[in-house]
Amino acid sequence: MLQKIAPFLWFDQQAEEAANFYTSAFKDSKIRSVSPMSATFSLDGLEFIALDGGPQFKFTPAISFFVNCKTHPETDELWEKLSTGGTVFMELDRYPFSEKFGWVQDQFGVSWQLNLAQRAQSIMPFLIFVGKQHAKAEEAINFYISLFDDSKLITIDRYGTGEREPEGTVKQAIFSLSGQEFMVMDSAGEHSFTFSEAISLFVRCETQPEIDYFWERLSLGGAKSRCGWLKDKFGVSWQVIPSVLGEMLNDEDDEKSDRVMQAMLKMDKLDIKILKQVYHGQ
């Protein structure tokens, strides 16, 4: 069964190249599907969707991917691959909070945090709340947990008196949505970035009531857009998508898939009934 929420990466003519690069860098990985404009792949069990969407959106470190590594050689090897041609934010080194940690933006612009955790590798989307969104990390956790089944706060560590960040803001927290783990933190520093549509969270829905539910609730206080896209009140981008859409768009019958694509492009919230009618030529 596919995961409920998949990180969706918006590339400019590099989706397949990036998918091949990531699956060559991570040991437990594979390409699931490739089409002329997109690729789906998994890294350590976490599914990603990559799209050749064009130059409109650029990756920022506001959403990175936190990777726990089991051994020093594993950490070093992955760092070498991800840092080649990229930009290092924090050198791979010992820090007060980790025996070995590094933060890098790879050659495609996607950010990764590598951490020696002495346990099996796992990857979590990591959201940083900066600028206007600073001090809203805990509010965001509670908001997201309230919307998704099988969700909970796992750990939370807040800044205390005299630390470099405002007291009570989130130093680091881990929570799960539909069984998938995410990390967040607040940062009051001067940052030139914030959340970008280049990384959105793709929510698979089985029914129209489920689409209606997530469409209305995730966009509350935010903004609705076209083709199932929305921004929540924190500026994070989501896509609320029927699971059946991928099958229709990838149909071997080009006329069917083209009809569905044209119908989808005219929609804001996606309508399963209409998409199926168009698919069947009704």
Side-chain angles (χ1 to χ4, degrees), residues 142-201:
N142 293 329
F143 176 64
Y144 299 146
I145 287 175
S146 73
L147 299 183
F148 290 86
D149 292 335
D150 188 22
S151 301
K152 63 182 179 181
L153 175 65
I154 299 173
T155 63
I156 186 166
D157 185 15
R158 300 179 182 87
Y159 286 102
T161 304
E163 293 194 271
R164 59 184 177 83
E165 296 273 345
E167 183 179 358
T169 58
V170 176
K171 182 182 295 186
Q172 188 179 93
I174 301 174
F175 63 100
S176 66
L177 301 177
S178 297
Q180 297 172 228
E181 292 188 354
F182 294 77
M183 298 181 71
V184 298
M185 67 175 289
D186 285 307
S187 179
E190 293 292 330
H191 299 290
S192 60
F193 60 83
T194 187
F195 296 118
S196 162
E197 293 91 335
I199 298 182
S200 58
L201 298 174

Side-chain angles (χ1 to χ4, degrees), residues 105-126:
Q105 184 181 68
D106 68 30
Q107 60 183 294
F108 301 102
V110 179
S111 297
W112 303 84
Q113 298 184 57
L114 305 190
N115 180 56
L116 179 63
Q118 304 293 344
R119 60 188 177 90
Q121 190 180 93
S122 63
I123 304 173
M124 292 176 279
F126 191 113

Side-chain angles (χ1 to χ4, degrees), residues 57-221:
F57 306 128
K58 302 298 182 184
F59 295 113
T60 79
I63 298 183
S64 59
F65 297 97
F66 192 95
V67 184
N68 283 313
C69 300
K70 190 173 184 179
T71 66
H72 285 275
E74 177 188 351
T75 311
D76 294 341
E77 181 180 352
L78 189 55
W79 177 263
E80 178 66 25
K81 292 176 179 178
L82 292 175
S83 62
T84 298
T87 301
V88 173
F89 297 144
M90 294 178 68
E91 289 286 354
L92 187 64
D93 205 344
R94 177 187 290 273
Y95 293 91
F97 56 83
S98 175
E99 182 180 353
K100 180 174 282 189
F101 174 87
W103 189 357
V104 64
Q105 184 181 68
D106 68 30
Q107 60 183 294
F108 301 102
V110 179
S111 297
W112 303 84
Q113 298 184 57
L114 305 190
N115 180 56
L116 179 63
Q118 304 293 344
R119 60 188 177 90
Q121 190 180 93
S122 63
I123 304 173
M124 292 176 279
F126 191 113
L127 285 66
I128 305 176
F129 290 76
V130 302
K132 293 180 179 179
Q133 305 304 331
H134 175 253
K136 295 182 180 179
E138 189 167 2
E139 179 188 351
I141 293 171
N142 293 329
F143 176 64
Y144 299 146
I145 287 175
S146 73
L147 299 183
F148 290 86
D149 292 335
D150 188 22
S151 301
K152 63 182 179 181
L153 175 65
I154 299 173
T155 63
I156 186 166
D157 185 15
R158 300 179 182 87
Y159 286 102
T161 304
E163 293 194 271
R164 59 184 177 83
E165 296 273 345
E167 183 179 358
T169 58
V170 176
K171 182 182 295 186
Q172 188 179 93
I174 301 174
F175 63 100
S176 66
L177 301 177
S178 297
Q180 297 172 228
E181 292 188 354
F182 294 77
M183 298 181 71
V184 298
M185 67 175 289
D186 285 307
S187 179
E190 293 292 330
H191 299 290
S192 60
F193 60 83
T194 187
F195 296 118
S196 162
E197 293 91 335
I199 298 182
S200 58
L201 298 174
F202 186 99
V203 183
R204 287 189 173 87
C205 298
E206 300 303 321
T207 66
Q208 191 62 44
E210 189 180 13
I211 289 176
D212 298 344
Y213 170 86
F214 283 113
W215 179 255
E216 295 301 330
R217 284 163 176 77
L218 279 170
S219 65
L220 187 65

